[in-house]
């Protein structure tokens, strides 16, 4: 039997996000956020107009979640704070003590179980009151977020030592403010995503500096941002056009945020030149991609203490010729799935474990060989799911083999792996129709029982032995 050992102190985790699991949308003084508004408006933007009003009920059933965590034997648990549960209108003008109590209970219980919390400040759930002022498209949100971050560090930072400021700025900026698919559902193609990304980068950097200046010495924690990316390869490796399109694909997706933060405080040259050239051709006097001042560049550069990567899939890339202002036409590239790749229960998620290894090596070589935590990776089942999900566990295993190769053969400093997700939960526009959980949740029963999938039982063995048994 081959034994594939992970490095000592490897972090084994699972991840969730507040809106996707908590429910209790208006309980105990929680303020409204953009998902409350968006889902309550209906309009078939979410599968069967489902909402996160109840979700997994984790606001009251958090001890059930802890049992799942214990059953898996996790060393780490990644969850997010609901901003509007803590600060109902998003500002520190009023603090909702019951929200503070909730997260205190959760954090304390995790620590008692010897589980390290990795806490995300923002996972897609902007307080409605801040959205009403423009949300991420408004410069004002930068300061509001900085204050929120300060509040969280001072309230929980005596116990929380690992922080993520913002989850997936690419996904949120593009799907919300470009395409209008995610809440708040207001897209402005070719403009909104860049404005949002710009303010997110500044807000992240300020939040990092706030920690570094006021908390780091005493609390001794680390702060980062969770970036998602596909791995990408040219469809035809011999085609110059495909190769260039592929470079643009990774640039617009990963470098957009990673280059300013990990390299030099500024956007990739190709984004600046392409968007500016196209903006001019559209008759605009300035580029649709905002610019950073020199002070902002030095403020943004170097604001991550480790690299958080969310990886799900890979694409083959070809050039895209599209007219009209939009992120996609600026990028001029299109990612397609290889029909040979197995699909999971959701159309966009082709299963490509080797893509993760390549992406990890690429990040090592491109962004200064950082410590990397894989803060999300997973495979969905469609509904109804099967508990004996052996195929899914196969995908996890193959992926973990690739992580080991990245560590042992490519020298990538991968420090941890977080499965998405601990529980089946509210998958944004897909509602409850696809299931990413290690634990099944029966949403038809009022007590929302959690039951381990086969994958959970197997994952627990890996965590316990800190090794993958390949046969
Ligand atoms: C990334 C997001 O962070 C998470 O909220 C989502 O559920 C998973 N991907 C799966 O799509």
């Amino acid at each position: 039997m081959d034994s594939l050992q992970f490095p000592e102190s490897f972090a084994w985790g699972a991840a969730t996000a507040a809106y996707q699991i908590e429910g209790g949308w208006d309980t105990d003084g929680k303020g409204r956020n953009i998902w409350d508004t968006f889902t309550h408006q209906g309009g078939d933007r979410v599968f069967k107009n489902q909402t996160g009003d109840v979700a997994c009920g984790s606001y009251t059933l958090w001890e059930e979640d802890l049992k799942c965590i214990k059953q898996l034997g996790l060393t780490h648990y990644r969850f997010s704070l609901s901003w509007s549960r803590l600060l109902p209108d998003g500002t520190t003008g009023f603090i909702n003590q019951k929200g503070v109590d909730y997260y205190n209970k959760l954090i304390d219980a995790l620590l008692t179980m010897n589980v390290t919390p990795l806490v995300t400040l923002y996972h897609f759930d902007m307080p409605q009151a801040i959205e009403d002022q423009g949300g991420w498209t408004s410069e004002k949100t930068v300061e509001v977020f900085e204050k929120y971050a300060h509040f969280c560090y001072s309230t929980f930072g005596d116990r929380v030592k690992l922080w993520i400021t913002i989850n997936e700025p690419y996904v949120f900026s593009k799907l919300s403010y470009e395409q209008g698919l995610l809440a708040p559902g207001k897209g402005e193609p070719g403009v909104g995503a860049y404005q949002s990304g710009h303010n997110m980068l500044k807000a992240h950097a300020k939040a990092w500096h706030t920690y570094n200046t006021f908390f780091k010495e005493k609390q001794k924690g680390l702060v980062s941002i969770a970036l998602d990316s596909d791995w990408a390869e040219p469809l035809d490796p011999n085609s110059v056009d495909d190769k260039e399109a592929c470079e643009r694909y990774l640039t617009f997706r990963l470098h957009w945020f990673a280059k300013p933060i990990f390299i030099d405080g500024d956007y990739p040259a190709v984004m600046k030149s392409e968007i500016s050239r196209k903006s001019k051709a559209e008759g605009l006097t300035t580029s649709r991609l905002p610019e950073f001042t020199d002070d902002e560049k030095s403020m943004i550069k170097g604001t991550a203490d480790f690299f958080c990567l969310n990886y799900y899939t890979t694409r083959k890339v070809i050039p895209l010729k599209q007219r009209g202002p939009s992120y996609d036409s600026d990028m001029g590239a299109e990612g397609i799935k290889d029909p040979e790749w197995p699909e999971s229960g959701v159309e966009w998620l082709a299963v490509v474990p080797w893509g993760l290894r390549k992406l990890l090596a690429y990040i090592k070589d491109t962004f200064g060989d950082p410590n990397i935590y894989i803060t999300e990776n997973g495979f969905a089942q469609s509904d109804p799911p099967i508990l004996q999900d052996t195929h899914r566990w196969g995908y996890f295993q193959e992926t973990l083999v690739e992580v080991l190769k990245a560590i042992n053969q490519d020298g990538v400093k991968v420090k941890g792996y977080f499965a998405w997700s601990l529980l089946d939960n509210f998958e944004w526009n897909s509602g409850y129709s696809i299931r990413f959980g290690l634990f099944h949740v029966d949403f038809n029963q009022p007590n929302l029982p959690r039951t381990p999938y086969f994958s959970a039982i197997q994952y627990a063995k890996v965590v316990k032995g800190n090794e993958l048994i390949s046969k």
Side-chain angles (χ1 to χ4, degrees):
M1 193 188 296
D2 292 339
S3 157
L4 303 167
Q5 195 72 35
F6 278 80
E8 223 179 289
S9 318
F10 193 78
W12 289 107
T16 59
Y19 187 79
Q20 295 181 272
I21 65 161
E22 283 180 3
W25 75 277
D26 64 348
T27 309
D28 288 346
K30 175 181 162 292
R32 237 178 349 115
N33 67 36
I34 52 174
W35 279 93
D36 299 319
T37 309
F38 186 76
T39 55
H40 293 174
Q41 281 165 347
D44 289 323
R45 294 173 300 182
V46 172
F47 177 78
K48 292 193 176 163
N49 286 322
Q50 290 168 337
T51 74
D53 288 4
V54 177
C56 310
S58 296
Y59 184 63
T60 46
L61 298 172
W62 56 279
E63 282 157 309
E64 297 305 308
D65 298 352
L66 294 180
K67 286 184 200 159
C68 301
I69 292 168
K70 194 160 189 187
Q71 222 173 312
L72 294 172
L74 301 181
T75 63
H76 287 62
Y77 177 49
R78 176 181 175 214
F79 63 95
S80 82
L81 304 175
S82 161
W83 184 349
S84 68
R85 192 180 293 292
L86 291 165
L87 310 178
D89 72 359
T91 75
T92 45
F94 177 74
I95 293 160
N96 181 28
Q97 189 53 42
K98 292 228 167 115
V100 175
D101 295 344
Y102 171 65
Y103 293 113
N104 274 335
K105 278 189 301 200
L106 180 60
I107 292 165
D108 291 346
L110 287 168
L111 294 176
T112 310
M113 287 163 55
N114 242 333
V115 176
T116 305
L118 166 54
V119 176
T120 310
L121 297 177
Y122 182 80
H123 199 122
F124 299 179
D125 54 352
M126 179 67 78
Q128 187 59 47
I130 306 300
E131 185 58 43
D132 293 343
Q133 320 262 325
W136 284 118
T137 60
S138 162
E139 164 92 43
K140 281 187 280 182
T141 300
V142 173
E143 203 189 316
V144 185
F145 183 77
E146 186 187 2
K147 290 196 174 138
Y148 165 57
H150 187 288
F151 164 77
C152 294
Y153 303 145
S154 74
T155 309
F156 306 115
D158 54 336
R159 289 152 292 150
V160 173
K161 306 297 169 190
L162 291 174
W163 295 98
I164 290 173
T165 55
I166 295 174
N167 179 67
E168 298 194 347
Y170 159 82
V171 167
F172 195 75
S173 295
K174 183 167 180 219
L175 272 65
S176 293
Y177 295 113
E178 163 96 10
Q179 297 176 318
L181 290 173
L182 295 178
K186 292 181 208 142
E188 196 185 341
V191 177
Y194 301 136
Q195 282 175 346
S196 160
H198 199 69
N199 291 322
M200 282 182 161
L201 273 165
K202 289 201 270 187
H204 157 76
K206 291 227 165 184
W208 184 90
H209 282 286
T210 295
Y211 191 81
N212 207 41
T213 313
F214 301 111
F215 297 95
K216 178 118 185 165
E217 203 177 292
K218 186 137 184 260
Q219 298 187 350
K220 304 195 167 29
L222 303 171
V223 180
S224 187
I225 181 168
L227 302 183
D228 64 284
S229 187
D230 298 343
W231 174 241
E233 300 204 332
L235 179 66
D236 173 358
N238 299 316
S239 147
V240 174
D241 285 351
D242 288 6
K243 279 202 255 182
E244 285 175 1
C246 182
E247 270 174 38
R248 289 195 302 275
Y249 191 90
L250 284 172
T251 300
F252 273 69
R253 178 88 185 237
L254 180 62
H255 293 233
W256 178 11
F257 296 97
K259 178 174 174 282
I261 294 172
F262 287 90
I263 300 185
D264 62 1
D266 199 8
Y267 291 121
V270 83
M271 281 186 81
K272 294 205 288 189
S273 60
E274 280 304 285
I275 301 168
S276 156
R277 184 174 66 77
K278 291 190 172 152
S279 303
K280 259 191 209 133
E282 290 150 17
L284 300 173
T285 50
T286 54
S287 174
R288 287 183 276 100
L289 181 70
E291 281 179 20
F292 292 121
T293 63
D294 286 344
D295 283 352
E296 286 170 344
K297 287 180 201 160
S298 18
M299 197 256 309
I300 293 167
K301 181 181 166 182
T303 54
D305 301 321
F306 54 106
F307 200 111
C308 297
L309 173 69
N310 294 357
Y311 171 79
Y312 285 91
T313 194
T314 287
R315 290 289 183 265
K316 298 273 177 181
V317 182
I318 51 172
L320 172 79
K321 297 214 173 5
Q322 203 181 60
R323 284 157 179 267
S326 79
Y327 169 96
D328 285 339
S329 60
D330 291 338
M331 174 168 69
E334 186 185 354
I336 50 182
K337 286 182 295 184
D338 185 325
E340 304 271 296
W341 296 335
E343 256 186 30
S344 70
V346 51
E347 165 282 311
W348 56 266
L349 207 170
V351 180
V352 194
W354 55 261
L356 176 55
R357 176 183 177 186
K358 295 215 170 175
L359 182 57
L360 288 167
Y362 181 84
I363 290 170
K364 169 187 194 277
D365 295 342
T366 316
F367 299 111
D369 195 11
N371 285 335
I372 303 177
Y373 285 77
I374 298 160
T375 39
E376 277 185 39
N377 171 251
F379 308 93
Q381 291 195 73
S382 52
D383 199 44
I386 46 169
L387 280 177
Q388 202 58 22
D389 61 338
T390 44
H391 64 297
R392 220 173 136 230
W393 177 245
Y395 299 154
F396 274 113
Q397 265 184 315
E398 286 172 35
T399 305
L400 289 171
V401 167
E402 297 297 328
V403 174
L404 269 178
K405 286 187 198 156
I407 297 171
N408 295 332
Q409 295 177 33
D410 309 335
V412 185
K413 296 190 293 203
V414 185
K415 300 295 176 188
Y417 175 89
F418 291 72
W420 183 270
S421 174
L422 180 68
L423 307 168
D424 287 339
N425 60 43
F426 178 82
E427 176 58 21
W428 310 117
N429 301 93
S430 304
Y432 302 96
S433 68
I434 58 174
R435 292 172 176 260
F436 271 100
L438 288 170
F439 282 78
H440 173 268
V441 178
D442 186 344
F443 296 104
N444 294 320
Q445 292 198 47
N447 60 340
L448 300 158
R450 284 89 160 123
T451 311
Y453 287 103
F454 176 74
S455 285
I457 294 161
Q458 298 305 109
Y459 189 53
K461 291 183 194 161
V462 171
V463 173
K464 187 159 183 215
N466 196 34
E467 67 178 344
L468 197 60
I469 309 295
S470 71
K471 277 187 236 146

